[in-house]
Amino acid sequence: MLDFYYQLMAKLAIPMTRWHAYTLKHLEVAIVVVVLALAFAFLFAKTNVSRSGVITVFGVLLLFMEIVKQCLLTYVRGSYSWSDFPWQLCSIPMYVCLFYPHLKKGRETAEHFLMVFGFLGAVMALIFPQSSFYSYLLLTIQSLAWHGILLMLSAYLMMSTSKARSVSAFRPVAALYLLTAAVAVLFNFLTADISKGDSNMFFLGPNPPATYILSAIYASYGWIVETVAMVLATLAAAFIVFFVSGVGKRH
């Protein structure tokens, strides 16, 4: 079995010249991802397909993609890196999609979470693609497809829901984000030593964040201030997306 794994990963680990952010290639790829995501979202919204079916199918697809990513990353790195653990903000929609068909309550909250945080995760990954561009073809395709799916699901739910947004409807979405963020902070604490500071889920907690602005806050004021700033900024952005997406909807 182990021999099969190594043989398969050796075939899948196709090297490529890593694309750089803010180049023509970056712009071209971002446009393709956005156009395809919006096209599929429009198609699903206009064909009256089962919303539960769409969310469930793409949840299973995301799970398969994550398994392939974890196996391939471990192979090319030579060992497992805790920085790759699937509990980033862009990873949470996978879990939400997989749990969605089993929910008896809270489906609207799950849909709003996918709509808001899927949009934020996809857009930020396309604007700041450093972590999306790899030196391996399949990993790069996987990352771009992943964020394209998040954007597609977000746009699909925006198009297919007709309710206006309210503060009361946003509260459980914010609570779900805070719960997942708290788990991320706990994870970062528990794995701080064994990961040698590499585990940085949600860019929260004691380990240094990888982004420039957060790194500057972390260096000047410490991880608590950086964590609070990140959480508040994320919630503010989510709040804006939530209400803007409801403009023109009926009450």
Side-chain angles (χ1 to χ4, degrees), residues 194-251:
I194 60 175
S195 72
K196 298 179 181 179
D198 283 341
S199 60
N200 194 221
M201 307 299 106
F202 282 46
F203 301 118
L204 306 176
N207 299 324
T211 60
Y212 175 76
I213 296 177
L214 295 178
S215 296
I217 297 174
Y218 182 96
S220 300
Y221 304 104
W223 74 266
I224 294 178
V225 173
E226 181 270 327
T227 294
V228 172
M230 180 61 178
V231 169
L232 292 178
T234 303
L235 282 175
F239 186 82
I240 292 171
V241 172
F242 183 75
F243 278 94
V244 169
S245 67
V247 172
K249 305 286 186 179
R250 70 173 187 272
H251 289 278

Side-chain angles (χ1 to χ4, degrees), residues 137-157:
L137 180 61
L138 188 59
L139 287 173
T140 299
I141 293 174
Q142 189 274 351
S143 182
L144 292 171
W146 183 283
H147 294 100
I149 289 172
L150 297 192
L151 181 59
M152 183 277 296
L153 287 174
S154 173
Y156 163 65
L157 290 169

Side-chain angles (χ1 to χ4, degrees), residues 32-55:
V32 170
V33 170
V34 171
V35 169
L36 287 176
L38 294 180
F40 276 102
F42 182 81
L43 177 64
F44 289 137
K46 296 303 179 182
T47 52
N48 295 319
V49 295
S50 165
R51 184 178 301 175
S52 179
V54 170
I55 294 174

